[in-house]
Amino acid sequence: MISLKFLSRLITLPATIIISIIKYYTVGTIFQRTNKEFQGSLYKNTHLSVLNHLANNYTRDDVAHVMYAPVTKLFTKFKNTPLTVGLNGYGEKINERTSWIVRAKDPQGPKKSAILFLHGGGYCLNIFATQFIGITALYYAVPEPKRANLSIAILDYSLTCHYKKYPIQINEAIAAYRAMVEQGYDDIILVGDSCGVNLTAAVARFIAYPDEARDHFSQFTEYEWDFSPLPQPQNIVMVSPWLEPYTKPILDPNFDYSGDLGAPDTTMGDWYIEGLDRADVAPFVRFTDNDYKTQWANVDAVNGKGRTLYIYGSREHLKLGIETFIDLITKKGDGKLEVHVEEGGIHDGLFYVESLDYMSASGAQKALKGDFEGKYAYSLVGKFLEEVL
């Protein structure tokens, strides 16, 4: 049964589209006026207006019954697109919930590298088409010959819209990581957006602090846990981190956040840890409460042994939490983050905004040519991956 709140949003959707079009051709939308990525594209402005109109106005059951689709549907939908035709291993399973987008045929060099993509969506929403195309297009943002040695996998983890809560998502992410290690991948790069960063942080800490992980997660006996050692991810990409899921963002009353897609409240975070003690789960959920010396100093991706690319937008609801974590790592601790702030950027700009340009056949051709000129996040991530591979 669809909720009245979500139904009202669907009914008023045409008005939102009309208003967006009128603003685009007159005073300009909030997106046009703050971020160059939206200039000259009616589609982007309208698309984001629609997403913003619907965002955070649904129940878990609305998502499950109206919006949910497994990642297998996306693999089928896009299997004959320019970006995916000819990709080796496309759609092949690694384990029950993890699949290859591309698997390098004959990787050369001293290490076997792969990306494990952990998607955003507040632990409630499945991976969207823009995220699927976004991570696929990212493959082409890595120049040759480095690209030929890169594989990319995606985890279709359990969702709270199906009442699957913490810590099953961490259990599945660790299982995916371990399965890739068992296939010989010794250089796994974690890439996460939004709550995917939350999951990425949990995975990184789980591997770096196995005793703490064992002490905490052993209580969840409904899941099978393997606490045997794993090689750490040396490099991580964090896009628009959602690091305080059950804490309402503190906003500057003098700043205009309109149009941002970041969670404005704790609804999705509460679904994630439903029925659990916040203090107990905090070390693996609310990362702004962590202590660097005891909970992050062993994480190679931030302690100087590896690298972490950290990207967010200047207009994000989650900005305070994002920047609190920067201080935790780099000021309260002596860790390192490679921080980049997109002027006028909103939540998850890479996978919700920039990736829109590669959904079409003509856009896909640009990606195939490695043409990501003017793309803030794609350019940063592509360069980062080229350097660490």
Side-chain angles (χ1 to χ4, degrees):
M1 182 69 178
I2 189 171
S3 69
L4 290 176
K5 184 178 183 180
F6 189 49
L7 180 60
S8 69
R9 286 282 159 165
L10 293 175
I11 292 172
T12 55
L13 195 54
T16 296
I17 294 172
I18 292 170
I19 291 170
S20 177
I21 294 172
I22 292 172
K23 284 186 175 181
Y24 180 82
Y25 287 111
T26 55
V27 297
T29 68
I30 182 63
F31 306 113
Q32 279 173 287
R33 291 184 278 112
T34 56
N35 189 335
K36 64 180 182 180
E37 185 66 33
F38 289 90
Q39 295 171 8
S41 175
L42 174 62
Y43 172 67
K44 278 186 183 176
N45 283 273
T46 305
H47 182 83
L48 267 294
S49 295
V50 168
L51 290 184
N52 185 257
H53 180 73
L54 297 175
N56 306 297
N57 287 290
Y58 36 69
T59 66
R60 282 181 282 187
D61 292 335
D62 290 333
V63 175
H65 297 145
V66 179
M67 302 166 65
Y68 172 74
V71 75
T72 50
K73 287 193 174 182
L74 292 175
F75 274 106
T76 300
K77 179 179 180 179
F78 293 114
K79 68 179 180 180
N80 293 317
T81 62
L83 287 181
T84 59
V85 169
L87 289 183
N88 187 61
Y90 178 79
E92 290 180 2
K93 289 282 191 179
I94 299 172
N95 66 8
E96 182 182 357
R97 287 195 165 270
T98 316
S99 305
W100 291 116
I101 287 179
V102 57
R103 178 172 49 79
K105 286 184 179 179
D106 185 24
Q108 303 294 316
K111 56 186 180 180
K112 193 174 179 181
S113 302
I115 287 173
L116 175 57
F117 178 51
L118 305 177
H119 71 86
Y123 289 116
C124 180
L125 302 168
N126 54 272
I127 184 169
F128 289 166
T130 55
Q131 292 168 303
F132 187 88
I133 288 297
I135 192 65
T136 306
L138 187 60
Y139 177 66
Y140 299 99
V142 180
E144 294 286 15
K146 297 290 184 70
R147 185 195 310 157
N149 294 323
L150 177 63
S151 301
I152 300 178
I154 186 169
L155 171 65
D156 187 25
Y157 55 78
S158 297
L159 301 169
T160 59
C161 69
H162 298 135
Y163 294 82
K164 301 294 186 180
K165 65 182 183 182
Y166 178 96
I168 189 172
Q169 295 82 1
I170 297 172
N171 180 275
E172 292 168 348
I174 290 294
Y177 191 99
R178 189 176 296 279
M180 293 170 71
V181 170
E182 290 172 351
Q183 289 194 14
Y185 291 89
D186 55 359
D187 176 36
I188 299 175
I189 302 163
L190 297 178
V191 175
D193 66 313
S194 191
C195 86
V197 177
N198 190 277
L199 187 52
T200 291
V203 169
R205 291 203 60 249
F206 185 108
I207 296 171
Y209 292 91
D211 291 338
E212 182 188 357
R214 183 183 296 105
D215 290 344
H216 174 68
F217 291 105
S218 292
Q219 67 182 295
F220 299 98
T221 56
E222 61 268 45
Y223 308 115
E224 292 185 10
W225 297 97
D226 185 347
F227 299 107
S228 58
L230 285 167
Q232 287 200 47
Q234 295 297 302
N235 301 291
I236 295 175
V237 176
M238 296 181 169
V239 179
S240 292
W242 190 44
L243 300 167
E244 303 175 309
Y246 54 79
T247 302
K248 185 175 181 178
I250 299 174
L251 305 181
D252 181 347
N254 299 312
F255 191 83
D256 187 358
Y257 298 91
S258 57
D260 183 52
L261 297 175
D265 56 32
T266 67
T267 300
M268 287 187 171
D270 292 338
W271 291 341
Y272 180 48
I273 62 164
E274 187 174 33
L276 300 173
D277 180 68
R278 290 186 174 188
D280 182 48
V281 303
F284 289 93
V285 177
R286 193 178 190 275
F287 296 101
T288 53
D289 282 342
N290 288 168
D291 173 69
Y292 178 80
K293 289 184 179 179
T294 60
Q295 295 176 304
W296 279 94
N298 288 353
V299 177
D300 287 351
V302 301
N303 67 15
K305 294 181 180 179
R307 296 171 62 184
T308 293
L309 180 63
Y310 197 86
I311 303 172
Y312 65 102
S314 68
R315 293 205 312 113
E316 296 208 32
H317 285 125
L318 307 178
K319 185 177 178 181
L320 180 60
I322 290 170
E323 294 178 344
T324 299
F325 185 74
I326 295 172
D327 290 346
L328 184 150
I329 298 296
T330 65
K331 293 182 179 179
K332 293 182 179 179
D334 57 0
K336 296 177 174 60
L337 295 172
E338 299 175 30
V339 178
H340 297 269
V341 186
E342 182 182 13
E343 183 61 34
I346 60 171
H347 187 68
D348 210 352
L350 193 158
F351 292 105
Y352 283 116
V353 184
E354 293 184 14
S355 61
L356 288 171
D357 283 339
Y358 307 108
M359 299 289 290
S360 66
S362 59
Q365 291 299 327
K366 292 182 69 174
L368 291 173
K369 296 175 183 177
D371 181 2
F372 295 90
E373 184 178 356
K375 299 301 175 201
Y376 184 84
Y378 270 109
S379 297
L380 287 170
V381 180
K383 183 175 184 292
F384 178 83
L385 292 174
E386 181 185 17
E387 291 171 354
V388 301
L389 288 172

